[in-house]
Amino acid sequence: MAIRSTLGVCATGLALLGTAASAETFRWAGTTDPQTMDPHAVNSAPVLGFLNNVYEGLVRRGRDMAIEPALATGWEAIGDGDGWRFRLREGVQFHDGSAFTAEDVLFSYQRASDENSDTRSWFSPVSDVQVVDDYTVDILTTAPNPIFPDSIANWLIMDKDWAEANNAALPDKESGNFATLNANGTGAFRLTDRQPGLSTSLAPFDGWWGEVEHNISEATFTPIGNPATAVAALLSGDVDMINPVPIQDANRVDQRDGVSVIRGIEARVIMLGFGHDHPELKYGDMAGSANPFQDVRVREAVAKAINVDAIRQAIMRGSSDAASQLVSPAMRGYSAANSTRPAFDLEGARALLADAGYADGFSFGLKCPNNRYLNDEAVCQAVTGMLAQVGITAELDAMPVQNYWPELRADNFDMYLLGWSPGTFDHEHPVRFLVTTPNPEKKLGSWNFGGFSNARVDELLPMIQSEIDDGKRQAMIDEITATYQTEHAYVPLYVQPLVWGVRDGVALTQRPDNFFILRWVTAN
């Protein structure tokens, strides 16, 4: 099975790579500061994208998003679908000089799959991890799992001795620990300074095993929450790259001398989620009353009341595609049979609300980040206005992402905005994280904040994880997609665009997972 070729990967200035460019200091800025330096504490793109420069996994994704060797030099299926054997790279050092061995892989599995870890759902198909020798590890699965190597591209390996010596044997995403502010990976760059919310600096790791393609002597990331400030920093030369360029400013920035805008499509679907398992509303004038979103007619009314095309044109400036499901058409397992999204239909929405007993509408709380996704707060404001047209009053509460995730994990919402980019580039990924019934013991549904549950979806998930016949697998994915669409488990809105700004002389690669990989950067 191959990733569909419509997925865009943009590389600019690649001719510079491999030349004898002089060493340079590189400075870049983004909206969201990585929440932690712990690769197992928070499963989010800002954290994992940044830490892919510092830590490494057994496998990694290349410029074309294909899986390639990293800390493992090769892998092969074991027995009759019993699991996978990974042969580890010898001679690899962590940044503190200690040697990488199979014991670090076993430790990282135990840590990343622990109930304290935000990444534990990655390991729901795993039954055991066994050290064969210092450089061979067997990862056993509960059933044949042909996509397993793809599913662990962002599983980053930590040093067992370093973590244990610093009382960081387990992640702590709420209170933090030594690994929250410090790092000891095997990656091409090592952490030299971490000031949360202010700046994070990296330096090349002289002992890295890979071929050096960059010419960076030092790299510093600065979070800049104000889009106008980020653009000003790029235009003035204070930073070499910003992500994102505000969509409304993209053409203007692209016309300025000395800078350019790099555009692409991200593998991220923006959607609305509901508190399915909340018996009562938590916010608004009707807090404490029965939760209307438990009625599928109300959820369908929300889908019909939102004018996605208007959001795409007025807020996203035509730079996004409408979404009908939890993955974009570029992802493996996209359901072509279910590509139609609910039509914008205010009268239809009002009729559904009346049929559900809410002819006079109701009020509720809408939680939204204001520094995570492109124009996220503006999108939520538009949603609020659109829902008001059918009598639903949303009490909008927008906040920085570092406050947002704890609110969702604490069930403090009636409805919320979420973006999801499948780390495996496969439809199974959002099904496992967002649609399957939450089950901590089985490591399932860890981002299904609203507690959506459907027994048939739960039954089909392990079957699509183990089915090797593409046609049979797609038929099951189609059934799951039709189910979560019919149930309106989420309201998919659009596929988010990528809009990066870069000064002249900088060469980089823009991947659709929105990860910024420093080892591919040259600056002149």
Side-chain angles (χ1 to χ4, degrees):
M1 293 183 289
I3 296 172
R4 293 166 63 118
S5 60
T6 52
L7 191 64
V9 178
C10 175
T12 179
L14 291 180
L16 292 173
L17 298 178
T19 63
S22 60
E24 295 284 346
T25 297
F26 183 78
R27 303 149 300 172
W28 84 106
T31 305
T32 305
D33 193 43
Q35 191 174 340
T36 176
M37 295 292 102
D38 189 328
H40 306 148
V42 177
N43 176 19
S44 73
V47 170
L48 297 175
F50 186 90
L51 290 181
N52 259 262
N53 295 302
V54 178
Y55 287 96
E56 295 174 299
L58 299 183
V59 302
R60 67 186 184 189
R61 293 194 183 277
R63 287 190 174 91
D64 61 355
M65 299 305 298
I67 291 292
E68 62 183 29
L71 293 181
T73 56
W75 50 93
E76 62 208 22
I78 302 172
D80 188 19
D82 298 334
W84 292 82
R85 171 162 293 182
F86 289 86
R87 302 189 185 283
L88 307 185
R89 190 178 300 277
E90 299 185 33
V92 173
Q93 292 183 343
F94 287 96
H95 295 160
D96 68 354
S98 59
F100 160 70
T101 72
E103 291 295 334
D104 299 307
V105 177
L106 175 60
F107 169 76
S108 294
Y109 161 71
Q110 294 167 337
R111 192 176 191 274
S113 62
D114 186 84
E115 62 182 8
N116 294 292
S117 173
D118 204 26
T119 62
R120 68 191 315 258
S121 285
W122 297 350
F123 304 98
S124 60
V126 175
S127 58
D128 196 13
V129 174
Q130 299 175 352
V131 172
V132 178
D133 58 39
D134 281 353
Y135 296 102
T136 308
V137 172
D138 285 351
I139 300 181
L140 306 180
T141 55
T142 54
N145 194 314
I147 65 172
F148 183 74
D150 287 72
S151 74
I152 57 169
N154 292 325
W155 173 34
L156 304 176
I157 303 301
M158 292 184 73
D159 179 358
K160 177 178 184 290
D161 293 339
W162 177 84
E164 291 180 342
N166 290 293
N167 297 317
L170 291 176
D172 188 336
K173 58 177 176 283
E174 303 299 337
S175 302
N177 57 28
F178 188 79
T180 306
L181 297 175
N182 301 275
N184 184 38
T186 61
F189 289 84
R190 58 185 175 82
L191 182 68
T192 57
D193 184 62
R194 169 63 174 165
Q195 299 182 58
L198 297 176
S199 68
T200 305
S201 294
L202 307 174
F205 174 40
D206 293 338
W208 188 49
W209 57 269
E211 179 183 353
V212 176
E213 297 177 276
H214 66 84
N215 69 334
I216 296 174
S217 58
E218 181 182 5
T220 298
F221 171 79
T222 303
I224 302 178
N226 186 304
T229 303
V231 170
L234 177 67
L235 296 179
S236 67
D238 288 340
V239 296
D240 302 302
M241 179 266 191
I242 62 172
N243 174 24
V245 175
I247 290 178
Q248 60 272 22
D249 297 329
N251 289 338
R252 176 176 64 85
V253 172
D254 208 18
Q255 292 170 359
R256 295 288 294 267
D257 292 337
V259 299
S260 60
V261 172
I262 306 170
R263 302 170 191 266
I265 294 293
E266 190 177 2
R268 183 177 305 281
V269 170
I270 303 296
M271 66 193 79
L272 295 171
F274 303 98
H276 293 273
D277 59 358
H278 298 181
E280 298 176 345
L281 289 172
K282 296 175 181 287
Y283 297 95
D285 296 338
M286 298 174 63
S289 60
N291 177 14
F293 297 122
Q294 290 192 317
D295 189 320
V296 66
R297 293 169 294 185
V298 175
R299 302 196 296 270
E300 184 177 1
V302 170
K304 286 180 176 292
I306 296 173
N307 188 340
V308 171
D309 287 341
I311 291 175
R312 292 173 53 226
Q313 293 304 317
I315 300 176
M316 307 308 290
R317 305 296 175 105
S319 298
S320 62
D321 296 328
S324 62
Q325 48 198 275
L326 305 185
V327 294
S328 74
M331 298 295 103
R332 183 170 57 195
Y334 174 80
S335 178
N338 296 283
S339 61
T340 302
R341 71 175 318 282
F344 173 54
D345 179 5
L346 291 178
E347 288 305 314
R350 293 188 184 103
L352 284 164
L353 289 171
D355 192 42
Y358 296 99
D360 296 328
F362 61 90
S363 64
F364 72 101
L366 170 60
K367 288 286 172 67
C368 184
N370 60 16
N371 64 348
R372 177 62 190 92
Y373 312 118
L374 282 173
N375 295 334
D376 42 15
E377 185 172 0
V379 170
C380 287
Q381 289 171 341
V383 166
T384 298
M386 292 170 181
L387 293 179
Q389 295 183 65
V390 296
I392 306 178
T393 303
E395 183 181 276
L396 176 59
D397 184 11
M399 65 192 72
V401 71
Q402 57 266 37
N403 305 117
Y404 188 61
W405 301 134
E407 286 288 289
L408 297 192
R409 291 192 181 97
D411 267 356
N412 291 329
F413 61 86
D414 296 319
M415 195 164 81
Y416 60 94
L417 187 77
L418 181 68
W420 194 260
S421 177
T424 58
F425 283 63
D426 188 291
H427 206 152
E428 180 270 348
H429 193 269
V431 171
R432 175 164 33 115
F433 279 90
L434 306 182
V435 187
T436 303
T437 303
N439 186 324
E441 184 179 349
K442 294 183 177 179
K443 308 182 184 72
L444 296 173
S446 57
W447 281 64
N448 183 358
F449 298 117
F452 174 78
S453 180
N454 181 284
R456 180 59 176 160
V457 171
D458 295 346
E459 180 183 16
L460 287 171
L461 176 66
M463 297 167 69
I464 66 170
Q465 289 174 329
S466 60
E467 180 57 63
I468 60 175
D469 183 294
D470 275 356
K472 293 178 181 178
R473 186 174 190 269
Q474 188 62 54
M476 291 188 283
I477 292 175
D478 288 347
E479 182 181 349
I480 290 176
T481 306
T483 300
Y484 73 63
Q485 285 181 332
T486 302
E487 292 289 319
H488 297 279
Y490 295 87
V491 176
L493 300 176
Y494 55 86
V495 184
Q496 180 166 279
L498 289 173
V499 190
W500 295 5
V502 62
R503 74 162 173 81
D504 289 353
V506 171
L508 51 78
T509 295
Q510 185 184 60
R511 290 199 326 198
D513 58 1
N514 205 15
F515 283 16
F516 183 53
I517 306 299
L518 278 169
R519 59 187 166 84
W520 294 329
V521 174
T522 58
N524 294 283

